[in-house]
Amino acid sequence: MKIKNKYRLIFTLCILTLSSVQPIYSSFIDNSTKINILMPAPFADSTKDLIDQFNKENKGDINIKVIRGPRETESVSDLAISSLLLGNSPFDILMIDITWLPKYAAAGWLAPMDRYISKRDWDSLAVGAKLGNSYKQNLYRWPMTSDMGLLFWRKDLMENPPTTPIELIRIAKNLVEEGKVSYGYVWQGRQYEGLSCVFLEVINGFGGEWINESSEVKLSSKESIQAVSWLKNLIETGITPRAVTNFSENEALQAFKSGEAALMRNWPYAWAELQKESSIVKGKIGVSTMVAVEGEQPTSTLGSWGLSILSSSKNKEVAYEVISYLTSLNSQKELFVNYGYTPTNSQIFNDKKLREAFPVLVELQKALEQTKPRPEIPLYAQVSDVLQRQLSEVFTNDKNIKEAMLKAERNTNQILLSAGESK
Amino acid sequence: MIILFLLPAGILILLVFGVPLIRYSWLSMHAASVVTGLDNIPNGGANWIRLLNDMRFWKDAWQTVRFASFSVSLEVFLAILIALLLHQKWKGRGILRSISLLPWALPTTVMALGWRWIFNTPYGPIEKIINFMGLNPLNILSNPKLTWLSTVLGDVWKTTPFLALILLAGLQTIPDDLYEAFRLEGGKPFQAFLKISLPLLKPYLFLGVIFRLAQAFGVFDLIQVMTGGGPAGSTESLALYAYLNAMRFLDFGYSATIMLASFILLVCACALSWVLIYQSKNIYRVYNS
């Protein structure tokens, strides 16, 4: 019995020693620089080939490790913020959404990238892709894929997509009345960030603004009221199902994919989804920009994901090397061809071969030229939250439009005032 | 001597509950947000003044109280019925006891996502049935008058088994002799329930209600997944509001203030349930004398 115990002790000690030596040993032979990137799950999957290739080419020097974050945008932010708050974040690079940038930069989490970027790099970006990467004159992010609101339309049901709000109502209403579709137009009406994106396009389309360049909130303007009334009217006349007030991108896509809707507002990812075999409307889809009243430019809300270096990273130079690889011309081409990610480099949009193979590229370029970012302030999340709540009140609770928008404007002003952003 | 024995537990409780509470109280007296560059700057109770004037806080407080009181009372009612049923001796009782725990064992986010699809318009089964009967769609998840009820339903479905389990344990501690003697004296079964089971279940009932109230007051995952606080903010709970302030708005001072305020509300609710469960007779007596 005693002997048995002795052996057991020796065995345990051996294991313990080995396990403590192993990491030292492995770090001794592998002295490559490790770069950790946090990405939302879909991006982690689609960049896997590119990253494997990079790791193979740079074996012994640089090793990229991708941490597969959650699927949903805001959950990725929660994860990143938790790690940043605790200090000593394990990540070197974050893949960030356009709306997080001012907040993260103001919190001091991001390292400025200006010194890495040459004028040539900057000039290579498409017009819309240049927006939303800076905060207080410093560049904090390099865009990886553009994203902008698009109007998807059914080629088998109409000759041309509607270009004005009135035209959209006329076309959609007719199609519903003729019984060709159950819904005329589906969009994102749930109380969440997507609703703010929808609204930005509509208010701009009516010639109004959410927050103008001199930080004035314009939510109770005539144009804003017209925009809200138009959206509400869509629901009341049945052109848009009442259920839209709980639709996010997925539900809208579901309705459109199953052929139940004639028009849909969504992001470019939907294009790839609609080309799949499971899509009833495959090959019958056109892409256009959001409607605008005559004399006004149509607007696409700018989405876009990019890569930022964390200020806590010990290998910023190497991290930039990784970013420039992942956003290189080749990487962008690969991601566009295989996964439908909208490029940021203007060369790709002008590539004749690609334009022939993917006619949608023309429409994407057009939309990217008309993009508008959401208000670029650290308190954007609050400001957007206020708007979402009031719009949801109007759509689901029959709140008076004027009253709701006045309240949204007042609350937004309070928030801006508290941050010293208002004049 | 006895203090010595209580010390380890005392220290543990202090570390787990005391430290966060002190930290939150401290934080609630500071401006600590993205505006201050995440530095903590004392602001002399400005967070509390803001809270008192924040209509959204009061609306959420009311919604949280409404959610907690509706779901906990429904759960108590159903749990008593279920506990009584599972306490009876009949064939297959063992299997049913295990099955009845299943909802409680499921992760909340998973079942919340399930409910979201069940209540979905137009694809969910409930709307399909309503459509089949030729009625107008209810739009359950986008109708502020209905949505909160659907969250109550989700919560009741999930947590009733937990309460039933506690009550079942309570029922098993009541000796059978009491019921027998009561029957010999000519008592009816329902009277036995009122005169024996219910009074003797009180400690268990109180314990279960306290547990459930604490959970229901802090409801977050269910709401976040099912509705995200919408439509029109009609299902937003205090925990969700505090979360938004901390994680989305990066305003930690105000978030701590909301959490503390909701803690105070919870203590009040627990005190109220103690009065209701233990002192109902005394109140009744005083009131009628």
Side-chain angles (χ1 to χ4, degrees):
Chain A
M1 195 66 188
K2 251 188 182 165
I3 293 169
K4 212 174 175 187
N5 269 345
K6 206 166 149 194
Y7 279 126
R8 197 175 288 169
L9 187 73
I10 291 171
F11 182 70
T12 319
L13 276 176
C14 279
I15 296 274
L16 278 177
T17 336
L18 273 177
S19 62
S20 61
V21 163
Q22 198 265 338
I24 303 170
Y25 176 71
S26 63
S27 70
F28 183 69
I29 53 161
D30 179 16
N31 50 13
S32 61
T33 312
K34 307 239 172 346
I35 297 293
N36 294 326
I37 313 180
L38 175 68
M39 287 186 188
F43 287 100
D45 295 340
S46 50
T47 53
K48 194 175 173 298
D49 291 342
L50 285 172
I51 282 169
D52 285 347
Q53 200 188 334
F54 183 91
N55 283 341
K56 215 157 107 195
E57 282 169 13
N58 295 280
K59 204 171 176 165
D61 283 336
I62 307 171
N63 189 282
I64 311 177
K65 195 177 164 221
V66 170
I67 290 91
R68 200 167 178 275
R71 217 177 168 72
E72 208 229 334
T73 306
E74 292 306 325
S75 311
V76 182
S77 175
D78 289 352
L79 184 66
I81 288 179
S82 313
S83 85
L84 289 163
L85 284 175
L86 294 172
N88 225 345
S89 170
F91 313 119
D92 297 284
I93 300 176
L94 277 187
M95 184 153 195
I96 68 171
D97 180 65
I98 191 165
T99 57
W100 309 346
L101 191 131
K103 184 164 71 178
Y104 281 39
W109 291 332
L110 305 180
M113 290 168 76
D114 307 74
R115 62 196 169 108
Y116 305 115
I117 308 293
S118 67
K119 191 171 177 299
R120 229 183 91 207
D121 292 334
W122 183 250
D123 289 340
S124 72
L125 290 178
V127 185
K130 287 182 179 164
L131 301 168
N133 300 307
S134 309
Y135 176 68
K136 292 198 171 161
Q137 271 92 48
N138 279 323
L139 186 78
Y140 285 102
R141 185 183 87 138
W142 193 248
M144 182 161 155
T145 166
S146 315
D147 217 2
M148 57 274 171
L150 298 169
L151 184 67
F152 292 79
W153 56 284
R154 289 271 298 275
K155 282 182 173 166
D156 56 329
L157 296 178
M158 56 195 97
E159 298 234 318
N160 291 306
T163 55
T164 64
I166 296 173
E167 208 181 342
L168 187 144
I169 288 189
R170 187 175 49 80
I171 293 178
K173 205 174 175 185
N174 280 346
L175 287 169
V176 172
E177 277 170 5
E178 286 166 18
K180 288 190 174 152
V181 278
S182 318
Y183 317 126
Y185 174 39
V186 289
W187 37 284
Q188 292 84 49
R190 185 178 160 89
Q191 184 190 324
Y192 83 122
E193 185 54 34
L195 182 55
S196 295
C197 297
V198 167
F199 182 70
L200 180 73
E201 285 161 7
V202 180
I203 190 175
N204 279 311
F206 275 89
E209 268 178 305
W210 181 354
I211 298 177
N212 70 10
E213 274 171 11
S214 40
S215 294
E216 287 167 324
V217 187
K218 292 286 184 191
L219 286 176
S220 69
S221 66
K222 191 179 91 220
E223 294 84 8
S224 169
I225 305 287
Q226 279 173 342
V228 185
S229 311
W230 182 73
L231 284 171
K232 173 137 205 216
N233 184 38
L234 289 174
I235 299 175
E236 279 181 341
T237 50
I239 290 171
T240 288
R242 196 158 276 278
V244 87
T245 49
N246 198 38
F247 273 19
S248 58
E249 284 89 357
N250 245 338
E251 284 91 354
L253 180 63
Q254 191 64 36
F256 194 69
K257 207 174 170 181
S258 58
E260 286 185 84
L263 293 154
M264 166 179 75
R265 187 262 173 212
N266 217 320
W267 305 92
Y269 88 98
W271 173 259
E273 291 288 322
L274 291 167
Q275 302 310 314
K276 287 185 177 165
E277 287 305 322
S278 60
S279 159
I280 293 179
V281 292
K282 189 185 170 196
K284 300 177 190 163
I285 303 302
V287 173
S288 172
T289 43
M290 190 44 59
V291 293
V293 291
E294 260 171 65
E296 292 294 337
Q297 279 288 320
T299 303
S300 290
T301 300
L302 183 62
S304 118
W305 287 84
L307 298 163
S308 293
I309 304 174
L310 288 186
S311 46
S312 60
S313 166
K314 290 191 183 77
N315 300 305
K316 297 196 181 69
E317 308 280 332
V318 185
Y320 178 69
E321 223 174 288
V322 171
I323 292 181
S324 84
Y325 166 75
L326 282 173
T327 54
S328 67
L329 211 57
N330 270 338
S331 305
Q332 288 198 26
K333 244 184 224 172
E334 209 156 298
L335 288 173
F336 171 67
V337 173
N338 296 330
Y339 299 96
Y341 287 178
T342 312
T344 57
N345 194 309
S346 53
Q347 265 191 52
I348 299 184
F349 287 107
N350 298 326
D351 188 319
K352 258 197 184 150
K353 269 190 200 157
L354 277 178
R355 280 168 89 102
E356 269 167 33
F358 301 94
V360 72
L361 208 52
V362 183
E363 292 301 331
L364 290 175
Q365 184 179 25
K366 218 192 283 168
L368 193 57
E369 276 163 13
Q370 287 159 342
T371 52
K372 205 166 169 138
R374 288 158 269 174
E376 294 172 273
I377 47 174
L379 295 181
Y380 172 73
Q382 276 108 308
V383 168
S384 172
D385 185 70
V386 160
L387 176 67
Q388 293 159 29
R389 279 173 77 92
Q390 291 309 317
L391 288 176
S392 187
E393 286 265 10
V394 170
F395 298 152
T396 66
N397 232 358
D398 278 329
K399 188 166 175 173
N400 178 285
I401 294 174
K402 181 99 196 172
E403 236 170 70
M405 294 327 275
L406 268 172
K407 187 165 180 196
E409 183 172 299
R410 218 169 31 237
N411 289 351
T412 310
N413 271 324
Q414 275 168 0
I415 293 166
L416 295 184
L417 205 65
S418 77
E421 302 243 3
S422 182
K423 281 166 196 167
Chain B
M1 194 61 191
I2 190 141
I3 290 177
L4 209 64
F5 280 109
L6 288 177
L7 211 58
I11 290 173
L12 198 69
I13 289 179
L14 203 72
L15 281 178
V16 176
F17 296 108
V19 173
L21 211 58
I22 292 165
R23 166 87 185 151
Y24 266 48
S25 312
W26 182 82
L27 209 53
S28 79
M29 298 304 284
H30 288 73
S33 71
V34 70
V35 177
T36 67
L38 300 188
D39 289 333
N40 304 319
I41 300 165
N43 65 355
N47 286 332
W48 288 96
I49 295 168
R50 178 177 158 197
L51 184 97
L52 292 176
N53 292 313
D54 184 358
M55 287 322 288
R56 182 161 170 190
F57 167 80
W58 292 109
K59 188 176 176 225
D60 288 355
W62 151 242
Q63 281 166 188
T64 309
V65 168
R66 181 178 68 178
F67 173 84
S69 50
F70 266 77
S71 56
V72 174
S73 3
L74 247 167
E75 281 158 24
V76 167
F77 177 71
L78 290 172
I80 290 176
L81 293 182
I82 293 172
L84 285 174
L85 184 72
L86 293 178
H87 186 54
Q88 305 304 315
K89 287 192 183 70
W90 45 280
K91 226 179 163 185
R93 179 180 72 164
I95 298 170
L96 204 72
R97 274 185 184 178
S98 322
I99 292 177
S100 68
L101 268 177
L102 275 182
W104 185 59
L106 274 181
T108 312
T109 41
V110 174
M111 69 104 200
L113 205 60
W115 283 113
R116 188 170 154 186
W117 277 108
I118 289 172
F119 289 123
N120 177 289
T121 315
Y123 303 109
I126 293 189
E127 290 289 358
K128 284 249 155 58
I129 293 169
I130 288 168
N131 190 26
F132 182 73
M133 296 189 325
L135 300 169
N136 283 332
L138 280 175
N139 291 305
I140 300 166
L141 288 183
S142 46
N143 182 344
K145 293 184 188 77
L146 282 180
T147 315
W148 72 275
L149 277 171
S150 72
T151 60
V152 166
L153 192 67
D155 194 57
V156 168
W157 182 80
K158 181 173 165 60
T159 49
T160 304
F162 168 75
L163 212 51
L165 191 73
I166 290 184
L167 295 182
L168 181 63
L171 280 177
Q172 284 168 350
T173 61
I174 304 172
D176 283 342
D177 314 1
L178 290 177
Y179 293 104
E180 220 163 283
F182 192 80
R183 203 167 54 238
L184 286 176
E185 298 285 336
K188 299 254 164 13
F190 185 66
Q191 283 175 319
F193 169 73
L194 283 184
K195 301 274 177 196
I196 302 172
S197 309
L198 216 47
L200 289 172
L201 269 183
K202 267 184 187 176
Y204 298 89
L205 208 56
F206 181 61
L207 184 79
V209 167
I210 294 292
F211 271 148
R212 283 296 311 128
L213 269 182
Q215 275 182 336
F217 259 83
V219 65
F220 172 74
D221 36 9
L222 176 81
I223 307 259
Q224 168 75 352
V225 176
M226 251 179 101
T227 65
S234 66
T235 57
E236 189 171 271
S237 67
L238 284 174
L240 192 61
Y241 190 32
Y243 155 83
L244 280 180
N245 271 286
M247 298 302 286
R248 297 280 157 82
F249 308 164
L250 297 185
D251 189 346
F252 301 99
Y254 194 52
S255 175
T257 316
I258 297 168
M259 261 355 266
L260 273 180
S262 88
F263 174 70
I264 294 168
L265 280 178
L266 172 65
V267 171
C268 295
C270 288
L272 188 72
S273 52
W274 178 78
V275 169
L276 281 177
I277 293 175
Y278 280 110
Q279 305 296 320
S280 47
K281 263 209 179 120
N282 289 343
I283 296 169
Y284 183 73
R285 210 175 293 144
V286 171
Y287 194 71
N288 275 328
S289 64

